[in-house]
Every structure is written in C-alpha cells, then in structure tokens.
Amino acid sequence: MKWNLRWVAAGRDIWRPSDLKTAFEAVGFTPSLSKVCALWSQAPVTVRLDDLDMICAGLECTVADLMEAESLATEESGRQDGQQAVGGSLRSGSGGRPVPKQSGGKGGLRRLPPN
C-alpha cells in the first residue's frame, strides 16, 4: 500500500505535522505530536480503523485518497535474497491443493487425510 498522507495534506494547504495535528484536533482527534510526526514521515505498519476514520475527517478525504494499492509486480520485485510469500508458488498441475510427499522407506506416496 502506498501512503499518501502528505499528498492529501498538501492539497489542504497543510505543510507541517503541527498543522496536521491542529486539523485533527478540529474534529476531536487528539493524537500526540510524535504520533502525527510518525504518520507524516512514513507509512504506518498498522492503523486503527477509528483513527483512520478521524484522519479522513480531519483532512476531508476518503480512505482511497490516503491509501493506494500498489501492483503485485512492484512488491515481488522488492523481495530480496530469495524471500517469497508463504504459498507464493504452487507446483504445476497441483491446482493449489497439497501434494503428498514421497515416503523415504517404501518408495510410495503417503496418502492425504480424507476431506
């Protein structure tokens, strides 16, 4: 997700975190200045939904204005050192279903439990 708080704030003629805090306080949202600075300087890892609602009210915007989905290609190219999302690759022909492992002793396939 792309965090567009500064872009939305600039559209409302807000250029500093202290001005943003004032806009938030006008709608009853009273975060600390350090929290506002953290939201201002980088994309948050998590945001409470009620805080997100108050941020949108203070900036007179929507959630879609604040956050923009980035393509998966951008996320995949950002991965380094062979990191991969869990379940990121499926074996061909598996159709997304689990594939039995080869058993070491008998040479046959282990059976999957019943569905």
Side-chain angles (χ1 to χ4, degrees):
M1 296 298 290
K2 185 176 178 184
W3 183 242
N4 294 323
L5 178 74
R6 291 178 81 165
W7 182 259
V8 173
R12 307 306 186 272
D13 202 30
I14 297 173
W15 302 101
R16 298 180 306 184
S18 58
D19 296 335
L20 183 61
K21 186 175 184 330
T22 303
F24 289 162
E25 289 171 348
V27 295
F29 182 43
T30 57
S32 65
L33 184 57
S34 63
K35 182 174 181 174
V36 174
C37 288
L39 291 170
W40 182 265
S41 64
Q42 61 190 9
V45 175
T46 61
V47 180
R48 292 179 43 192
L49 292 177
D50 56 339
D51 289 351
L52 187 59
D53 189 37
M54 296 301 281
I55 290 169
C56 289
L59 292 173
E60 299 174 358
C61 67
T62 65
V63 174
D65 295 331
L66 283 177
M67 294 188 290
E68 181 180 335
E70 294 180 322
S71 68
L72 291 175
T74 304
E75 291 179 20
E76 292 296 324
S77 66
R79 298 190 193 279
Q80 298 174 358
D81 302 327
Q83 292 179 348
Q84 184 175 354
V86 174
S89 74
L90 299 173
R91 295 180 185 171
S92 67
S94 70
R97 298 197 51 152
V99 176
K101 293 182 179 179
Q102 296 284 340
S103 70
K106 299 179 184 177
L109 297 176
R110 290 192 303 180
R111 298 182 55 88
L112 290 175
N115 288 338

